[in-house]
Amino acid sequence: MAAPMRRAWQGLLRAAVPAARSYHAPPPRRKPGGVYRPDPDDPLTPVWQLQPAYEAKLYGRHGSASGVDPARLWPSPEKLQELEAEEREWFPGLREMEAALDKKEQEEERQRVERENLIAANMAKMPQMIEDWRREKAARKEKEREAKARRAQLLAEAQERFGHKVDHRSAKFQELVQEMEKKQRKELKLKKKQLKEEAKKKAAAAAADPEPVPVSAGAAEPA
């Protein structure tokens, strides 16, 4: 049952689809010797058949019968140097590979030693760093306490001056703060001036009344 049905479907397909004509390319042009040589003057000659690689292929297949001069197949000195450099880059010798591996291992060892030394140095600094952090933390807390106490004092002074509570974010409180800071700067400047004047007075008194030079015990008394 299956075979007749398959043959029937094949017949329908052949009737529906016309048979494609088979195309056979013409054989390449050959010289009397049986070796095809591309004609460079023929515009229909493919470009790849005019390159040295195709001539090398012809010489490798037919030898001297190809008519190719083997001297033309040898690369020029510049091309040969380029090929040698490319070979050294992509296919290094055993000694070069060993030297490269040794250099890589030495660099990795150097980096490992530097990393271990850095870790050791940081671990040695760790106690001092912790102590500095604790000291900075304590100083920051002390500064915050001083700022809080100063703000409370200023708020108390503002309440005493204005007769009511004042918000520390209000313009009145900010004016009071500026006034108090100005007053403190003035008092500090006056205190520095007083200390400077007292130092000058002490220096002048010392210059006017020099201390007597002590007489040594062995010095002879005047007759």
Side-chain angles (χ1 to χ4, degrees), residues 25 49 106 109 111 139 172 176 182-183 216:
Q49 292 184 359
Q106 292 175 3
E109 179 66 17
Q111 293 179 0
K172 291 183 178 181
L176 178 61
K182 185 177 180 181
K183 183 179 179 181
S216 61

Side-chain angles (χ1 to χ4, degrees), residues 87-106:
E87 184 177 358
R88 285 193 300 269
E89 180 180 359
W90 292 101
F91 304 99
L94 181 60
R95 294 184 181 275
E96 288 79 4
M97 293 176 65
E98 291 178 348
L101 289 175
D102 292 341
K103 185 178 180 180
K104 182 179 179 181
E105 291 177 356
Q106 292 175 3

Side-chain angles (χ1 to χ4, degrees), residues 99 105 147 168 175 200:
E105 291 177 356
H168 66 278
E175 292 176 359
K200 286 182 179 180

Side-chain angles (χ1 to χ4, degrees), residues 178-192:
Q178 293 177 3
E179 183 181 347
M180 294 296 295
E181 289 178 350
K182 185 177 180 181
K183 183 179 179 181
Q184 289 177 359
R185 287 195 300 268
K186 187 175 181 181
E187 291 177 354
L188 181 61
K189 186 176 180 181
L190 182 61
K191 186 175 181 180
K192 286 182 178 180

Side-chain angles (χ1 to χ4, degrees), residues 92-150:
L94 181 60
R95 294 184 181 275
E96 288 79 4
M97 293 176 65
E98 291 178 348
L101 289 175
D102 292 341
K103 185 178 180 180
K104 182 179 179 181
E105 291 177 356
Q106 292 175 3
E107 180 64 20
E108 291 177 352
E109 179 66 17
R110 184 187 65 80
Q111 293 179 0
R112 185 187 64 82
V113 172
E114 287 184 356
R115 185 167 58 254
E116 291 181 354
N117 292 338
L118 180 61
I119 293 174
N122 291 335
M123 292 300 294
K125 295 178 182 178
M126 188 63 67
Q128 184 63 35
M129 293 173 65
I130 294 175
E131 182 64 25
D132 294 342
W133 174 76
R134 289 177 176 174
R135 185 168 53 253
E136 291 176 359
K137 184 179 179 181
R140 186 167 59 252
K141 287 186 176 181
E142 181 64 23
K143 189 175 181 180
E144 291 175 357
R145 284 194 295 267
E146 292 177 356
K148 187 176 180 180
R150 181 170 177 270

